[in-house]
Amino acid sequence: MVDAGAHDRGVLPVTAPARIEASALAELVDAVGPRNVLTADHDRAAYERDWTGRFKGRTPAVVRPADTEEVAAVMEVCRRHGAALVPQGGNTGLVGGGVPMAGEVVLNLRRLATVEPVDVVARQVTVGAGASVSSVQAVAAAAGLRYAVDFAARDSATVGGTVATNAGGMRVLRHGGTREQVMGVEAVLGSGQRVRRLQGLVKDNTGYHLGSLLCGSEGTLGVVTAARLRLVTAHPHRVVALVAFADVATAVEAVASWRSALDTLEAAELFLDGGLALVCDAFGLAPPFVDRWAAYVLVEAAGHHDPTDGLAAAVATTDAGDVAVATDASRRSALWRYREDHTLAINTLGPPHKFDVTVPLGVLAAFVDEVPHRVAARVSGARTWLFGHVGDGNVHVNVTGVAPDDERVDEVVLTAVAELGGSISAEHGIGTAKARWLHLSRSDDEIAAMRALKRALDPDGVLNPNALLPRGT
Ligand code: 2HG
Ligand code: ZN
């Protein structure tokens, strides 16, 4: 039943009441202490909506455990009382996966923020689920290493959230996504059983890799409480170039040639003229070039030796237009802003519908050219913004000017992706936003296998029951 007032508030309507038995609430208070069970409206509010403002739910209580023991105790209470819970980190997920859309208890993990000293010999670090991505990057840098996962929400996003969603980001091209960095996890499964493999053994071939399974399980199988993360070499030389192109197809071809030519390539990010203009308007930035171009690729290379000449030579072999190059840190981040600030700039237009899709590279340019027309033909007034990690084939499609619960636009974009043999989620996950579209990327047998895993590890169905798996499968 759609709540008629929902559009005015600019959020999706809440579909279930948020209630919990008084005895369950009392036991939660026993488990984590009264100060860490938030029930007052003004205390809960920040935990009930996502960063974009598209997803807003309601919870009877936000529970904030301090450690794994307390997480296990909360899980036990919820299981006994049949109270569903939604694990939540920094609340920067973009698919409604950490928001109590159906009245669940919120299990916020931010207090588990321990960051252990870096193990320099193993090039690894063990961190609590609540540690921010930027805090891991900082300890890695202080130890002369680097944490490879990086994206704009780094200061708020938590490691637990990035493991649960297998977050991608800007450096996947060179280092892989979060799953590639996770050497092991500690977790409390929905069954109440514990998993703890934090030794960081590179070779450990003793059966199911539960860490890999939990990574990307979106809080439906277990609650990740800590992770052992791989660190990578901190290359001393780094260069960023912003390269303009007359069209997206030429940009995609150029990136393919750079991937072959440059061992140092670390990121290749695409954006378009409309998005660049929006970012410049929103934040008062001067455009990078006098001329306007259809497509831009921000490329970063890093190595033990200065990669600038190699990058310049590789750029020169392509049909590039204007080029801006930055080697010092502040000019590099000035160029990165044109790309990273897309998310913030788009949100100034109201809560967008966000799609983080992958399409085969051979059809990426056609997809980017075609999708805005298909969207506009279906929903008048809708505007489509496209950018993304072009080296990975990952396009972020943002659509503004559409009511939060108007799913016509979801259907247009996601079916176009499926027709092209792409994936409906490259890196943000399925959450509650895309559960009903999972069949576009997964077969019935695969969904049944996932459902069987869910039943085995979360037999009471308390963990994030509305995320990832479509209802009734
Ligand atoms: C990024 O690549 C993030 O900047 C966010 O994945 C994408 O805002 C988005 O749609
Ligand atoms: Zn992204």
Side-chain angles (χ1 to χ4, degrees), residues 181-369:
Q181 321 310 321
V182 173
M183 305 299 303
V185 301
E186 179 189 70
V188 180
L189 302 179
S191 58
Q193 291 154 323
R194 314 250 193 121
V195 172
R196 187 177 160 84
R197 295 193 77 74
L198 297 174
Q199 310 96 308
L201 302 175
V202 174
K203 300 186 101 173
D204 178 16
N205 207 6
T206 52
Y208 302 148
H209 199 289
L210 298 173
S212 293
L213 177 62
L214 288 165
C215 191
S217 65
E218 302 192 32
T220 62
L221 304 178
V223 176
V224 173
T225 53
R228 179 83 173 173
L229 301 172
R230 172 179 91 114
L231 302 176
V232 299
T233 300
H235 292 109
H237 299 280
R238 199 163 280 278
V239 59
V240 171
L242 183 61
V243 188
F245 291 94
D247 54 50
V248 176
T250 315
V252 172
E253 272 169 35
V255 172
S257 74
W258 299 337
R259 289 176 69 196
S260 302
L262 298 169
D263 291 339
T264 52
L265 195 62
E266 183 140 332
E269 299 287 316
L270 175 78
F271 51 90
L272 308 182
D273 189 48
L276 174 65
L278 181 71
V279 168
C280 291
D281 280 357
F283 304 113
L285 304 182
F289 307 120
V290 174
D291 291 332
R292 295 178 71 159
W293 296 85
Y296 302 84
V297 176
L298 184 143
V299 57
E300 180 162 324
H304 288 292
H305 305 288
D306 187 352
T308 308
D309 290 348
L311 179 59
V315 170
T317 64
T318 62
D319 272 336
D322 284 328
V323 181
V325 179
T327 49
D328 67 274
S330 75
R331 292 193 54 241
R332 289 197 320 254
S333 37
L335 289 182
W336 265 107
R337 277 199 74 181
Y338 295 122
R339 159 63 181 89
E340 280 203 341
D341 285 1
H342 270 65
T343 301
L344 291 169
I346 290 165
N347 240 67
T348 63
L349 305 177
H353 285 238
K354 284 183 178 287
F355 309 98
D356 64 304
V357 305
T358 310
V359 292
L361 279 169
V363 294
L364 190 145
F367 175 78
V368 168
D369 291 342

